[in-house]
PDB file of all heavy atoms in Angstrom:
ATOM      1  N   ASP A   1     -33.300-103.482  54.949  1.00  0.00           N
ATOM      2  CA  ASP A   1     -34.159-102.724  54.041  1.00  0.00           C
ATOM      3  C   ASP A   1     -33.391-102.501  52.739  1.00  0.00           C
ATOM      4  O   ASP A   1     -32.330-101.877  52.732  1.00  0.00           O
ATOM      5  CB  ASP A   1     -34.542-101.375  54.666  1.00  0.00           C
ATOM      6  CG  ASP A   1     -35.394-100.537  53.731  1.00  0.00           C
ATOM      7  OD1 ASP A   1     -36.253-101.125  53.033  1.00  0.00           O
ATOM      8  OD2 ASP A   1     -35.219 -99.300  53.703  1.00  0.00           O
ATOM      9  N   VAL A   2     -33.939-103.006  51.636  1.00  0.00           N
ATOM     10  CA  VAL A   2     -33.310-102.850  50.319  1.00  0.00           C
ATOM     11  C   VAL A   2     -34.163-101.889  49.494  1.00  0.00           C
ATOM     12  O   VAL A   2     -35.376-102.137  49.302  1.00  0.00           O
ATOM     13  CB  VAL A   2     -33.187-104.212  49.593  1.00  0.00           C
ATOM     14  CG1 VAL A   2     -32.533-104.031  48.231  1.00  0.00           C
ATOM     15  CG2 VAL A   2     -32.393-105.191  50.446  1.00  0.00           C
ATOM     16  N   ARG A   3     -33.557-100.823  49.000  1.00  0.00           N
ATOM     17  CA  ARG A   3     -34.294 -99.787  48.288  1.00  0.00           C
ATOM     18  C   ARG A   3     -33.778 -99.643  46.859  1.00  0.00           C
ATOM     19  O   ARG A   3     -33.069 -98.698  46.515  1.00  0.00           O
ATOM     20  CB  ARG A   3     -34.181 -98.452  49.029  1.00  0.00           C
ATOM     21  CG  ARG A   3     -34.698 -98.511  50.458  1.00  0.00           C
ATOM     22  CD  ARG A   3     -34.737 -97.158  51.119  1.00  0.00           C
ATOM     23  NE  ARG A   3     -33.430 -96.601  51.343  1.00  0.00           N
ATOM     24  CZ  ARG A   3     -32.648 -96.870  52.398  1.00  0.00           C
ATOM     25  NH1 ARG A   3     -33.051 -97.733  53.334  1.00  0.00           N
ATOM     26  NH2 ARG A   3     -31.464 -96.303  52.542  1.00  0.00           N
ATOM     27  N   PRO A   4     -34.114-100.579  45.986  1.00  0.00           N
ATOM     28  CA  PRO A   4     -33.577-100.533  44.632  1.00  0.00           C
ATOM     29  C   PRO A   4     -34.164 -99.387  43.803  1.00  0.00           C
ATOM     30  O   PRO A   4     -35.317 -98.985  44.012  1.00  0.00           O
ATOM     31  CB  PRO A   4     -34.007-101.882  44.045  1.00  0.00           C
ATOM     32  CG  PRO A   4     -35.202-102.277  44.835  1.00  0.00           C
ATOM     33  CD  PRO A   4     -34.995-101.738  46.208  1.00  0.00           C
ATOM     34  N   PRO A   5     -33.382 -98.856  42.869  1.00  0.00           N
ATOM     35  CA  PRO A   5     -33.928 -97.932  41.891  1.00  0.00           C
ATOM     36  C   PRO A   5     -34.960 -98.654  41.022  1.00  0.00           C
ATOM     37  O   PRO A   5     -35.168 -99.872  41.143  1.00  0.00           O
ATOM     38  CB  PRO A   5     -32.699 -97.535  41.061  1.00  0.00           C
ATOM     39  CG  PRO A   5     -31.526 -97.881  41.908  1.00  0.00           C
ATOM     40  CD  PRO A   5     -31.946 -99.078  42.708  1.00  0.00           C
ATOM     41  N   HIS A   6     -35.609 -97.903  40.143  1.00  0.00           N
ATOM     42  CA  HIS A   6     -36.589 -98.499  39.232  1.00  0.00           C
ATOM     43  C   HIS A   6     -35.998 -99.723  38.555  1.00  0.00           C
ATOM     44  O   HIS A   6     -34.866 -99.685  38.051  1.00  0.00           O
ATOM     45  CB  HIS A   6     -37.011 -97.455  38.188  1.00  0.00           C
ATOM     46  CG  HIS A   6     -37.862 -98.026  37.093  1.00  0.00           C
ATOM     47  ND1 HIS A   6     -39.019 -98.735  37.341  1.00  0.00           N
ATOM     48  CD2 HIS A   6     -37.693 -98.026  35.729  1.00  0.00           C
ATOM     49  CE1 HIS A   6     -39.547 -99.125  36.190  1.00  0.00           C
ATOM     50  NE2 HIS A   6     -38.762 -98.707  35.216  1.00  0.00           N
ATOM     51  N   THR A   7     -36.757-100.811  38.572  1.00  0.00           N
ATOM     52  CA  THR A   7     -36.278-102.084  38.051  1.00  0.00           C
ATOM     53  C   THR A   7     -37.275-102.612  37.028  1.00  0.00           C
ATOM     54  O   THR A   7     -38.491-102.500  37.218  1.00  0.00           O
ATOM     55  CB  THR A   7     -36.102-103.099  39.197  1.00  0.00           C
ATOM     56  OG1 THR A   7     -35.246-102.533  40.200  1.00  0.00           O
ATOM     57  CG2 THR A   7     -35.499-104.402  38.705  1.00  0.00           C
ATOM     58  N   GLU A   8     -36.771-103.208  35.963  1.00  0.00           N
ATOM     59  CA  GLU A   8     -37.631-103.681  34.873  1.00  0.00           C
ATOM     60  C   GLU A   8     -38.255-105.041  35.203  1.00  0.00           C
ATOM     61  O   GLU A   8     -37.961-106.055  34.581  1.00  0.00           O
ATOM     62  CB  GLU A   8     -36.819-103.766  33.569  1.00  0.00           C
ATOM     63  CG  GLU A   8     -36.257-102.446  33.074  1.00  0.00           C
ATOM     64  CD  GLU A   8     -37.334-101.460  32.664  1.00  0.00           C
ATOM     65  OE1 GLU A   8     -38.484-101.885  32.400  1.00  0.00           O
ATOM     66  OE2 GLU A   8     -37.031-100.255  32.606  1.00  0.00           O
ATOM     67  N   THR A   9     -39.140-105.034  36.194  1.00  0.00           N
ATOM     68  CA  THR A   9     -39.831-106.248  36.606  1.00  0.00           C
ATOM     69  C   THR A   9     -41.168-106.433  35.890  1.00  0.00           C
ATOM     70  O   THR A   9     -41.790-107.481  36.026  1.00  0.00           O
ATOM     71  CB  THR A   9     -40.092-106.244  38.109  1.00  0.00           C
ATOM     72  OG1 THR A   9     -40.941-105.110  38.425  1.00  0.00           O
ATOM     73  CG2 THR A   9     -38.801-106.159  38.909  1.00  0.00           C
ATOM     74  N   GLY A  10     -41.623-105.393  35.184  1.00  0.00           N
ATOM     75  CA  GLY A  10     -42.939-105.422  34.590  1.00  0.00           C
ATOM     76  C   GLY A  10     -44.045-104.996  35.533  1.00  0.00           C
ATOM     77  O   GLY A  10     -45.217-104.964  35.168  1.00  0.00           O
ATOM     78  N   LEU A  11     -43.663-104.638  36.753  1.00  0.00           N
ATOM     79  CA  LEU A  11     -44.671-104.265  37.761  1.00  0.00           C
ATOM     80  C   LEU A  11     -45.466-103.050  37.335  1.00  0.00           C
ATOM     81  O   LEU A  11     -46.692-102.997  37.532  1.00  0.00           O
ATOM     82  CB  LEU A  11     -43.983-104.005  39.106  1.00  0.00           C
ATOM     83  CG  LEU A  11     -44.897-103.823  40.322  1.00  0.00           C
ATOM     84  CD1 LEU A  11     -45.658-105.095  40.617  1.00  0.00           C
ATOM     85  CD2 LEU A  11     -44.081-103.397  41.543  1.00  0.00           C
ATOM     86  N   VAL A  12     -44.808-102.054  36.717  1.00  0.00           N
ATOM     87  CA  VAL A  12     -45.535-100.848  36.303  1.00  0.00           C
ATOM     88  C   VAL A  12     -46.564-101.156  35.238  1.00  0.00           C
ATOM     89  O   VAL A  12     -47.591-100.466  35.124  1.00  0.00           O
ATOM     90  CB  VAL A  12     -44.562 -99.750  35.831  1.00  0.00           C
ATOM     91  CG1 VAL A  12     -43.667 -99.302  36.950  1.00  0.00           C
ATOM     92  CG2 VAL A  12     -43.735-100.206  34.623  1.00  0.00           C
ATOM     93  N   ASP A  13     -46.312-102.188  34.428  1.00  0.00           N
ATOM     94  CA  ASP A  13     -47.270-102.563  33.384  1.00  0.00           C
ATOM     95  C   ASP A  13     -48.457-103.331  33.947  1.00  0.00           C
ATOM     96  O   ASP A  13     -49.459-103.522  33.250  1.00  0.00           O
ATOM     97  CB  ASP A  13     -46.578-103.405  32.309  1.00  0.00           C
ATOM     98  CG  ASP A  13     -45.423-102.654  31.643  1.00  0.00           C
ATOM     99  OD1 ASP A  13     -45.579-101.447  31.392  1.00  0.00           O
ATOM    100  OD2 ASP A  13     -44.377-103.292  31.402  1.00  0.00           O
ATOM    101  N   ARG A  14     -48.323-103.779  35.185  1.00  0.00           N
ATOM    102  CA  ARG A  14     -49.428-104.512  35.841  1.00  0.00           C
ATOM    103  C   ARG A  14     -49.975-103.679  37.008  1.00  0.00           C
ATOM    104  O   ARG A  14     -50.536-104.234  37.952  1.00  0.00           O
ATOM    105  CB  ARG A  14     -48.925-105.855  36.362  1.00  0.00           C
ATOM    106  CG  ARG A  14     -48.367-106.779  35.305  1.00  0.00           C
ATOM    107  CD  ARG A  14     -48.073-108.170  35.856  1.00  0.00           C
ATOM    108  NE  ARG A  14     -47.111-108.142  36.950  1.00  0.00           N
ATOM    109  CZ  ARG A  14     -45.796-108.146  36.797  1.00  0.00           C
ATOM    110  NH1 ARG A  14     -45.279-108.159  35.580  1.00  0.00           N
ATOM    111  NH2 ARG A  14     -44.992-108.134  37.837  1.00  0.00           N
ATOM    112  N   ALA A  15     -49.841-102.375  36.911  1.00  0.00           N
ATOM    113  CA  ALA A  15     -50.309-101.496  37.984  1.00  0.00           C
ATOM    114  C   ALA A  15     -51.795-101.705  38.238  1.00  0.00           C
ATOM    115  O   ALA A  15     -52.586-101.945  37.305  1.00  0.00           O
ATOM    116  CB  ALA A  15     -50.048-100.033  37.622  1.00  0.00           C
ATOM    117  N   ILE A  16     -52.176-101.633  39.503  1.00  0.00           N
ATOM    118  CA  ILE A  16     -53.578-101.852  39.849  1.00  0.00           C
ATOM    119  C   ILE A  16     -54.431-100.617  39.566  1.00  0.00           C
ATOM    120  O   ILE A  16     -55.660-100.701  39.598  1.00  0.00           O
ATOM    121  CB  ILE A  16     -53.721-102.276  41.325  1.00  0.00           C
ATOM    122  CG1 ILE A  16     -53.164-101.227  42.280  1.00  0.00           C
ATOM    123  CG2 ILE A  16     -53.053-103.631  41.551  1.00  0.00           C
ATOM    124  CD1 ILE A  16     -53.386-101.552  43.753  1.00  0.00           C
ATOM    125  N   ALA A  17     -53.787 -99.494  39.257  1.00  0.00           N
ATOM    126  CA  ALA A  17     -54.529 -98.276  38.892  1.00  0.00           C
ATOM    127  C   ALA A  17     -53.581 -97.282  38.237  1.00  0.00           C
ATOM    128  O   ALA A  17     -52.390 -97.221  38.571  1.00  0.00           O
ATOM    129  CB  ALA A  17     -55.171 -97.629  40.121  1.00  0.00           C
ATOM    130  N   GLY A  18     -54.107 -96.495  37.299  1.00  0.00           N
ATOM    131  CA  GLY A  18     -53.364 -95.382  36.733  1.00  0.00           C
ATOM    132  C   GLY A  18     -52.320 -95.782  35.704  1.00  0.00           C
ATOM    133  O   GLY A  18     -52.064 -96.964  35.457  1.00  0.00           O
ATOM    134  N   ASP A  19     -51.713 -94.763  35.114  1.00  0.00           N
ATOM    135  CA  ASP A  19     -50.657 -94.943  34.128  1.00  0.00           C
ATOM    136  C   ASP A  19     -49.352 -94.389  34.677  1.00  0.00           C
ATOM    137  O   ASP A  19     -49.336 -93.280  35.237  1.00  0.00           O
ATOM    138  CB  ASP A  19     -51.005 -94.213  32.834  1.00  0.00           C
ATOM    139  CG  ASP A  19     -52.259 -94.780  32.179  1.00  0.00           C
ATOM    140  OD1 ASP A  19     -52.363 -96.018  32.076  1.00  0.00           O
ATOM    141  OD2 ASP A  19     -53.146 -93.987  31.796  1.00  0.00           O
ATOM    142  N   PRO A  20     -48.271 -95.125  34.521  1.00  0.00           N
ATOM    143  CA  PRO A  20     -46.991 -94.655  35.070  1.00  0.00           C
ATOM    144  C   PRO A  20     -46.472 -93.450  34.317  1.00  0.00           C
ATOM    145  O   PRO A  20     -46.691 -93.306  33.105  1.00  0.00           O
ATOM    146  CB  PRO A  20     -46.067 -95.858  34.871  1.00  0.00           C
ATOM    147  CG  PRO A  20     -46.655 -96.599  33.715  1.00  0.00           C
ATOM    148  CD  PRO A  20     -48.139 -96.423  33.840  1.00  0.00           C
ATOM    149  N   PRO A  21     -45.772 -92.540  35.013  1.00  0.00           N
ATOM    150  CA  PRO A  21     -45.091 -91.445  34.321  1.00  0.00           C
ATOM    151  C   PRO A  21     -43.950 -92.014  33.497  1.00  0.00           C
ATOM    152  O   PRO A  21     -43.536 -93.164  33.672  1.00  0.00           O
ATOM    153  CB  PRO A  21     -44.579 -90.571  35.467  1.00  0.00           C
ATOM    154  CG  PRO A  21     -44.427 -91.510  36.620  1.00  0.00           C
ATOM    155  CD  PRO A  21     -45.517 -92.526  36.463  1.00  0.00           C
ATOM    156  N   LYS A  22     -43.444 -91.211  32.580  1.00  0.00           N
ATOM    157  CA  LYS A  22     -42.305 -91.664  31.779  1.00  0.00           C
ATOM    158  C   LYS A  22     -41.090 -91.841  32.689  1.00  0.00           C
ATOM    159  O   LYS A  22     -40.754 -90.961  33.471  1.00  0.00           O
ATOM    160  CB  LYS A  22     -41.997 -90.646  30.688  1.00  0.00           C
ATOM    161  CG  LYS A  22     -40.895 -91.090  29.725  1.00  0.00           C
ATOM    162  CD  LYS A  22     -40.719 -90.085  28.584  1.00  0.00           C
ATOM    163  CE  LYS A  22     -41.901 -90.154  27.641  1.00  0.00           C
ATOM    164  NZ  LYS A  22     -41.657 -89.321  26.424  1.00  0.00           N
ATOM    165  N   MET A  23     -40.476 -93.008  32.563  1.00  0.00           N
ATOM    166  CA  MET A  23     -39.323 -93.326  33.418  1.00  0.00           C
ATOM    167  C   MET A  23     -38.159 -93.777  32.553  1.00  0.00           C
ATOM    168  O   MET A  23     -38.354 -94.369  31.488  1.00  0.00           O
ATOM    169  CB  MET A  23     -39.674 -94.436  34.411  1.00  0.00           C
ATOM    170  CG  MET A  23     -40.652 -94.024  35.490  1.00  0.00           C
ATOM    171  SD  MET A  23     -40.866 -95.361  36.722  1.00  0.00           S
ATOM    172  CE  MET A  23     -42.486 -95.932  36.281  1.00  0.00           C
ATOM    173  N   PRO A  24     -36.942 -93.509  33.007  1.00  0.00           N
ATOM    174  CA  PRO A  24     -35.785 -94.028  32.280  1.00  0.00           C
ATOM    175  C   PRO A  24     -35.724 -95.532  32.402  1.00  0.00           C
ATOM    176  O   PRO A  24     -36.395 -96.135  33.253  1.00  0.00           O
ATOM    177  CB  PRO A  24     -34.604 -93.363  33.003  1.00  0.00           C
ATOM    178  CG  PRO A  24     -35.105 -93.093  34.377  1.00  0.00           C
ATOM    179  CD  PRO A  24     -36.559 -92.758  34.215  1.00  0.00           C
ATOM    180  N   GLU A  25     -34.939 -96.157  31.556  1.00  0.00           N
ATOM    181  CA  GLU A  25     -34.792 -97.608  31.648  1.00  0.00           C
ATOM    182  C   GLU A  25     -34.258 -97.996  33.011  1.00  0.00           C
ATOM    183  O   GLU A  25     -33.329 -97.374  33.540  1.00  0.00           O
ATOM    184  CB  GLU A  25     -33.837 -98.105  30.557  1.00  0.00           C
ATOM    185  CG  GLU A  25     -33.705 -99.621  30.533  1.00  0.00           C
ATOM    186  CD  GLU A  25     -32.845-100.106  29.390  1.00  0.00           C
ATOM    187  OE1 GLU A  25     -32.407 -99.276  28.577  1.00  0.00           O
ATOM    188  OE2 GLU A  25     -32.588-101.334  29.331  1.00  0.00           O
ATOM    189  N   GLY A  26     -34.871 -99.021  33.600  1.00  0.00           N
ATOM    190  CA  GLY A  26     -34.502 -99.429  34.937  1.00  0.00           C
ATOM    191  C   GLY A  26     -33.424-100.490  34.963  1.00  0.00           C
ATOM    192  O   GLY A  26     -32.960-100.963  33.925  1.00  0.00           O
ATOM    193  N   LEU A  27     -33.058-100.888  36.158  1.00  0.00           N
ATOM    194  CA  LEU A  27     -32.099-101.972  36.338  1.00  0.00           C
ATOM    195  C   LEU A  27     -32.742-103.299  35.920  1.00  0.00           C
ATOM    196  O   LEU A  27     -33.962-103.460  35.943  1.00  0.00           O
ATOM    197  CB  LEU A  27     -31.665-102.061  37.793  1.00  0.00           C
ATOM    198  CG  LEU A  27     -30.922-100.872  38.396  1.00  0.00           C
ATOM    199  CD1 LEU A  27     -30.625-101.145  39.859  1.00  0.00           C
ATOM    200  CD2 LEU A  27     -29.647-100.575  37.633  1.00  0.00           C
ATOM    201  N   SER A  28     -31.911-104.254  35.585  1.00  0.00           N
ATOM    202  CA  SER A  28     -32.432-105.589  35.288  1.00  0.00           C
ATOM    203  C   SER A  28     -32.759-106.291  36.604  1.00  0.00           C
ATOM    204  O   SER A  28     -32.082-106.085  37.621  1.00  0.00           O
ATOM    205  CB  SER A  28     -31.410-106.403  34.504  1.00  0.00           C
ATOM    206  OG  SER A  28     -30.373-106.860  35.362  1.00  0.00           O
ATOM    207  N   PRO A  29     -33.795-107.148  36.598  1.00  0.00           N
ATOM    208  CA  PRO A  29     -34.096-107.909  37.826  1.00  0.00           C
ATOM    209  C   PRO A  29     -32.934-108.751  38.288  1.00  0.00           C
ATOM    210  O   PRO A  29     -32.756-108.967  39.481  1.00  0.00           O
ATOM    211  CB  PRO A  29     -35.303-108.768  37.406  1.00  0.00           C
ATOM    212  CG  PRO A  29     -35.915-108.044  36.260  1.00  0.00           C
ATOM    213  CD  PRO A  29     -34.783-107.373  35.539  1.00  0.00           C
ATOM    214  N   ASP A  30     -32.134-109.248  37.340  1.00  0.00           N
ATOM    215  CA  ASP A  30     -30.974-110.049  37.716  1.00  0.00           C
ATOM    216  C   ASP A  30     -29.987-109.238  38.564  1.00  0.00           C
ATOM    217  O   ASP A  30     -29.427-109.739  39.547  1.00  0.00           O
ATOM    218  CB  ASP A  30     -30.251-110.570  36.465  1.00  0.00           C
ATOM    219  CG  ASP A  30     -31.047-111.636  35.740  1.00  0.00           C
ATOM    220  OD1 ASP A  30     -31.552-112.553  36.401  1.00  0.00           O
ATOM    221  OD2 ASP A  30     -31.167-111.537  34.509  1.00  0.00           O
ATOM    222  N   THR A  31     -29.770-107.981  38.172  1.00  0.00           N
ATOM    223  CA  THR A  31     -28.849-107.112  38.905  1.00  0.00           C
ATOM    224  C   THR A  31     -29.334-106.897  40.334  1.00  0.00           C
ATOM    225  O   THR A  31     -28.560-106.963  41.288  1.00  0.00           O
ATOM    226  CB  THR A  31     -28.713-105.751  38.188  1.00  0.00           C
ATOM    227  OG1 THR A  31     -28.134-105.965  36.910  1.00  0.00           O
ATOM    228  CG2 THR A  31     -27.859-104.793  38.994  1.00  0.00           C
ATOM    229  N   VAL A  32     -30.637-106.637  40.474  1.00  0.00           N
ATOM    230  CA  VAL A  32     -31.185-106.380  41.808  1.00  0.00           C
ATOM    231  C   VAL A  32     -31.178-107.663  42.637  1.00  0.00           C
ATOM    232  O   VAL A  32     -30.851-107.650  43.838  1.00  0.00           O
ATOM    233  CB  VAL A  32     -32.603-105.787  41.698  1.00  0.00           C
ATOM    234  CG1 VAL A  32     -33.210-105.608  43.087  1.00  0.00           C
ATOM    235  CG2 VAL A  32     -32.557-104.445  40.976  1.00  0.00           C
ATOM    236  N   ALA A  33     -31.543-108.784  42.029  1.00  0.00           N
ATOM    237  CA  ALA A  33     -31.537-110.046  42.765  1.00  0.00           C
ATOM    238  C   ALA A  33     -30.118-110.389  43.246  1.00  0.00           C
ATOM    239  O   ALA A  33     -29.941-110.806  44.404  1.00  0.00           O
ATOM    240  CB  ALA A  33     -32.060-111.180  41.879  1.00  0.00           C
ATOM    241  N   ASP A  34     -29.136-110.166  42.398  1.00  0.00           N
ATOM    242  CA  ASP A  34     -27.744-110.417  42.809  1.00  0.00           C
ATOM    243  C   ASP A  34     -27.345-109.524  43.974  1.00  0.00           C
ATOM    244  O   ASP A  34     -26.620-109.958  44.887  1.00  0.00           O
ATOM    245  CB  ASP A  34     -26.791-110.165  41.636  1.00  0.00           C
ATOM    246  CG  ASP A  34     -26.877-111.236  40.555  1.00  0.00           C
ATOM    247  OD1 ASP A  34     -27.490-112.287  40.806  1.00  0.00           O
ATOM    248  OD2 ASP A  34     -26.348-110.999  39.453  1.00  0.00           O
ATOM    249  N   ARG A  35     -27.836-108.289  43.964  1.00  0.00           N
ATOM    250  CA  ARG A  35     -27.496-107.349  45.056  1.00  0.00           C
ATOM    251  C   ARG A  35     -28.165-107.780  46.359  1.00  0.00           C
ATOM    252  O   ARG A  35     -27.583-107.613  47.450  1.00  0.00           O
ATOM    253  CB  ARG A  35     -27.925-105.939  44.669  1.00  0.00           C
ATOM    254  CG  ARG A  35     -27.408-104.863  45.617  1.00  0.00           C
ATOM    255  CD  ARG A  35     -25.902-104.776  45.572  1.00  0.00           C
ATOM    256  NE  ARG A  35     -25.366-103.831  46.556  1.00  0.00           N
ATOM    257  CZ  ARG A  35     -25.139-104.106  47.827  1.00  0.00           C
ATOM    258  NH1 ARG A  35     -25.420-105.326  48.317  1.00  0.00           N
ATOM    259  NH2 ARG A  35     -24.638-103.191  48.636  1.00  0.00           N
ATOM    260  N   VAL A  36     -29.364-108.313  46.263  1.00  0.00           N
ATOM    261  CA  VAL A  36     -30.060-108.814  47.457  1.00  0.00           C
ATOM    262  C   VAL A  36     -29.281-109.995  48.049  1.00  0.00           C
ATOM    263  O   VAL A  36     -29.080-110.055  49.264  1.00  0.00           O
ATOM    264  CB  VAL A  36     -31.508-109.224  47.122  1.00  0.00           C
ATOM    265  CG1 VAL A  36     -32.146-109.970  48.298  1.00  0.00           C
ATOM    266  CG2 VAL A  36     -32.345-107.993  46.777  1.00  0.00           C
ATOM    267  N   ILE A  37     -28.853-110.901  47.195  1.00  0.00           N
ATOM    268  CA  ILE A  37     -28.077-112.053  47.674  1.00  0.00           C
ATOM    269  C   ILE A  37     -26.771-111.585  48.310  1.00  0.00           C
ATOM    270  O   ILE A  37     -26.338-112.109  49.358  1.00  0.00           O
ATOM    271  CB  ILE A  37     -27.808-113.047  46.533  1.00  0.00           C
ATOM    272  CG1 ILE A  37     -29.118-113.606  45.974  1.00  0.00           C
ATOM    273  CG2 ILE A  37     -26.892-114.167  47.011  1.00  0.00           C
ATOM    274  CD1 ILE A  37     -29.954-114.385  46.967  1.00  0.00           C
ATOM    275  N   ALA A  38     -26.133-110.595  47.689  1.00  0.00           N
ATOM    276  CA  ALA A  38     -24.876-110.063  48.254  1.00  0.00           C
ATOM    277  C   ALA A  38     -25.116-109.448  49.631  1.00  0.00           C
ATOM    278  O   ALA A  38     -24.263-109.567  50.525  1.00  0.00           O
ATOM    279  CB  ALA A  38     -24.286-109.022  47.305  1.00  0.00           C
ATOM    280  N   ALA A  39     -26.260-108.800  49.822  1.00  0.00           N
ATOM    281  CA  ALA A  39     -26.582-108.214  51.131  1.00  0.00           C
ATOM    282  C   ALA A  39     -26.784-109.304  52.170  1.00  0.00           C
ATOM    283  O   ALA A  39     -26.372-109.169  53.332  1.00  0.00           O
ATOM    284  CB  ALA A  39     -27.833-107.348  51.028  1.00  0.00           C
ATOM    285  N   ILE A  40     -27.403-110.407  51.756  1.00  0.00           N
ATOM    286  CA  ILE A  40     -27.621-111.525  52.685  1.00  0.00           C
ATOM    287  C   ILE A  40     -26.290-112.141  53.090  1.00  0.00           C
ATOM    288  O   ILE A  40     -26.014-112.329  54.277  1.00  0.00           O
ATOM    289  CB  ILE A  40     -28.524-112.593  52.021  1.00  0.00           C
ATOM    290  CG1 ILE A  40     -29.951-112.049  51.852  1.00  0.00           C
ATOM    291  CG2 ILE A  40     -28.546-113.874  52.866  1.00  0.00           C
ATOM    292  CD1 ILE A  40     -30.863-112.953  51.047  1.00  0.00           C
ATOM    293  N   THR A  41     -25.455-112.455  52.117  1.00  0.00           N
ATOM    294  CA  THR A  41     -24.198-113.135  52.417  1.00  0.00           C
ATOM    295  C   THR A  41     -23.162-112.205  53.036  1.00  0.00           C
ATOM    296  O   THR A  41     -22.279-112.636  53.775  1.00  0.00           O
ATOM    297  CB  THR A  41     -23.608-113.780  51.145  1.00  0.00           C
ATOM    298  OG1 THR A  41     -23.382-112.752  50.161  1.00  0.00           O
ATOM    299  CG2 THR A  41     -24.559-114.821  50.585  1.00  0.00           C
ATOM    300  N   GLY A  42     -23.268-110.912  52.737  1.00  0.00           N
ATOM    301  CA  GLY A  42     -22.257-109.970  53.209  1.00  0.00           C
ATOM    302  C   GLY A  42     -22.547-109.336  54.562  1.00  0.00           C
ATOM    303  O   GLY A  42     -21.749-108.526  55.043  1.00  0.00           O
TER     304      GLY A  42
END
């Protein structure tokens, strides 16, 4: 189970309903993807 902090994937801009609350800048998708790969290999 990988529980990343808010990540700048653009998902909030494509929400299926509603407007997102104001959020701080999230992690880059590259950072999260690298962490997922590290979890797999590690």
Side-chain angles (χ1 to χ4, degrees):
D1 178 38
V2 180
R3 301 187 292 276
H6 172 55
T7 305
E8 298 295 340
T9 61
L11 189 64
V12 296
D13 300 320
R14 300 188 301 274
I16 59 175
D19 297 313
K22 185 174 289 187
M23 291 186 253
E25 184 176 356
L27 297 178
S28 76
D30 289 314
T31 297
V32 176
D34 288 347
R35 189 65 184 83
V36 170
I37 298 298
I40 291 172
T41 60

